[in-house]
Amino acid sequence: MIDKLKELIAEAEAFTAQSKEEVEQFRIKYLGSKGLLKEYFAEFKNVANEQKKEFGQTINQLKKTAEDKVNALKEALESLEEDNGLYGDLSRPGEPIALGARHPISIVKNQIIDIFSRIGFNVSEGPEIEDDWHNFTALNLPEYHPARDMQDTFFIQTDPDILLRTHTSSVQVRYMEENKPPIRTISPGRVYRNEAISARSHCFFHQVEGLYIDKDVSFADLKQTLQYFTTEMFGKSKIRLRPSYFPFTEPSAEVDVYWGLETETDYKMTKGTGWLEIMGCGMVDPNVLDNCGIDSKEYSGFAFGMGIDRIALLLHQISDIRLLSENDVRFLEQFKSAL
Ligand code: DAH
């Protein structure tokens, strides 16, 4: 009988199961109320005295083996179930994580910031909701200037003094009010104009404003700075300055960069002229300096302003400005390889 018990122990040890049902059947067979152990325990009284000890030990061993087996199999099956249920098959190959892409506006903005930071410009920001003083009056915009027309500006209805800034030049004013020269700062940000939305214009877009104030700053410094910028940004160093008018600069100019006419795209981009208009600039009007608490007899400076969206459209050959604010993933994904 002891040999039979030992056989059962070996059998129990070797037992494996794929399902809970099989484990249960095993449990019933060995440990159940009508199971093998019960049967053998009942035999105990018939065992010869000198064998009782060994018999007792062997049957206890069988009981422990069967119990351990049941517990181990249950645990293994449960953890398998958990793996499959909670996390799926943990050995399956991983799924690729989709990589995001920078927005073309951010790409161009970061390029501009990077280029100017290399020549000592810091980055400053101002509020998008502005007051009349910072957006217009301090910038030498007379009260009846057309740029103040309701057509161009979004006013906050309850207060005619509060508006959505129409340009980042407002940040110039704030920066000069709060900082003493020398000043070298660029101010990127979103601006708003009350314009009909089309492929070419939007009611909001982005600009970068530049401001340099110090003693003896000249127009030559402005020109040199612009040339450095166009070389770094576009790889083109030939620029021209066309006389223009901005209320806050005197003299004022419009900056064109010579793009060339090598490819069909160059023709398209420059409308056949080879020149591309990229920004407005000028020497800060002494009135503006004085309005902002900077002595115009002691200091002079230059300013410039450019549209980020316009440059992004040109550089990436995007045909519709609306694409920049529609968040269409198919469009945005195309900039994955860009900076
Ligand atoms: N604020 C002008 C605009 O929105 C751009 C501009 C022109 C900014 C000349 C300047 C500047 O600082 O000097 O059209």
Side-chain angles (χ1 to χ4, degrees):
M1 204 144 46
I2 288 175
D3 288 343
K4 182 66 193 161
L5 280 176
K6 285 188 174 154
E7 255 173 54
L8 286 171
I9 289 170
E11 225 173 80
E13 266 169 359
F15 179 74
T16 60
Q18 304 303 323
S19 68
K20 282 185 167 174
E21 289 72 40
E22 284 175 85
V23 179
E24 183 59 8
Q25 276 165 16
F26 173 87
R27 192 192 64 77
I28 293 167
K29 181 178 164 194
Y30 284 82
L31 304 163
S33 56
K34 290 182 188 135
L36 289 167
L37 275 157
K38 201 86 180 193
E39 241 173 67
Y40 282 96
F41 272 122
E43 289 293 329
F44 192 72
K45 58 181 187 299
N46 305 326
V47 176
N49 271 349
E50 63 276 18
Q51 282 192 338
K52 269 201 163 64
K53 187 177 171 201
E54 193 187 353
F55 184 86
Q57 281 172 346
T58 316
I59 197 166
N60 274 333
Q61 198 187 333
L62 175 61
K63 184 172 179 237
K64 188 169 175 337
T65 308
E67 281 172 352
D68 287 352
K69 191 59 155 193
V70 169
N71 290 337
L73 285 174
K74 264 193 191 160
E75 216 169 272
L77 284 170
E78 262 162 27
S79 81
L80 193 70
E81 215 168 65
E82 204 169 83
D83 288 351
N84 288 334
L86 263 182
Y87 308 111
D89 175 5
L90 289 181
S91 64
R92 74 193 187 282
E95 282 165 28
I97 297 168
L99 255 190
R102 282 204 197 287
H103 193 281
I105 296 282
S106 298
I107 294 169
V108 171
K109 181 182 85 175
N110 290 343
Q111 277 176 311
I112 296 171
I113 289 176
D114 189 50
I115 291 167
F116 280 105
S117 66
R118 273 184 262 146
I119 52 168
F121 281 71
N122 67 6
V123 177
S124 52
E125 284 182 353
E128 290 179 18
I129 300 173
E130 257 306 358
D131 52 41
D132 183 287
W133 168 258
H134 291 96
N135 196 80
F136 293 132
T137 308
L139 286 164
N140 211 22
L141 270 140
E143 205 180 329
Y144 296 104
H145 193 280
R148 284 179 159 223
D149 198 294
M150 282 289 285
Q151 290 240 325
D152 298 321
T153 309
F154 286 117
F155 288 94
I156 307 293
Q157 278 199 336
T158 48
D159 188 347
D161 190 49
I162 306 295
L163 45 92
L164 295 179
R165 68 179 176 194
T166 57
H167 51 187
T168 43
S169 302
S170 56
V171 189
Q172 274 190 33
V173 179
R174 287 188 176 272
Y175 199 87
M176 285 191 276
E177 283 172 344
E178 280 155 31
N179 296 276
K180 296 252 154 302
I183 289 171
R184 268 174 291 180
T185 190
I186 51 166
S187 322
R190 182 177 289 158
V191 301
Y192 301 83
R193 301 230 180 132
N194 194 357
E195 276 176 30
I197 298 170
S198 71
R200 308 198 123 256
S201 70
H202 213 297
C203 60
F204 65 81
F205 50 98
H206 304 78
Q207 290 185 332
V208 175
E209 187 79 13
L211 181 69
Y212 191 137
I213 311 283
D214 206 345
K215 286 180 178 152
D216 303 321
V217 178
S218 70
F219 202 88
D221 296 323
L222 167 60
K223 202 174 162 195
Q224 196 61 44
T225 305
L226 297 176
Q227 203 157 25
Y228 159 77
F229 171 70
T230 58
T231 311
E232 295 295 308
M233 186 76 196
F234 308 112
K236 322 262 180 194
S237 58
K238 191 164 153 186
I239 58 170
R240 73 179 179 195
L241 298 168
R242 279 179 291 111
S244 183
Y245 169 76
F246 298 104
F248 29 89
T249 43
E250 181 57 37
S252 306
E254 216 102 39
V255 185
D256 298 343
V257 58
Y258 189 70
W259 196 262
L261 282 171
E262 272 157 43
T263 65
E264 213 175 302
T265 316
D266 294 345
Y267 262 91
K268 244 173 69 185
M269 279 168 75
T270 65
K271 300 196 185 88
T273 65
W275 291 95
L276 212 55
E277 185 190 318
I278 52 158
M279 66 171 102
C281 68
M283 301 306 291
V284 178
D285 193 298
N287 287 341
V288 176
L289 293 176
D290 293 332
N291 283 343
C292 300
I294 290 176
D295 185 354
S296 60
K297 287 182 201 71
E298 197 178 349
Y299 293 102
S300 57
F302 61 75
F304 54 86
M306 65 187 117
I308 304 180
D309 306 60
R310 203 181 117 70
I311 296 175
L313 295 184
L314 284 169
L315 287 182
H316 297 287
Q317 289 297 294
I318 301 163
S319 56
D320 191 326
I321 195 172
R322 289 169 292 198
L323 284 166
L324 295 175
S325 52
E326 277 168 2
N327 274 341
D328 184 333
V329 173
R330 291 165 305 177
F331 167 73
L332 296 172
E333 271 182 338
Q334 296 176 49
F335 300 93
K336 268 194 179 142
S337 57
L339 292 167

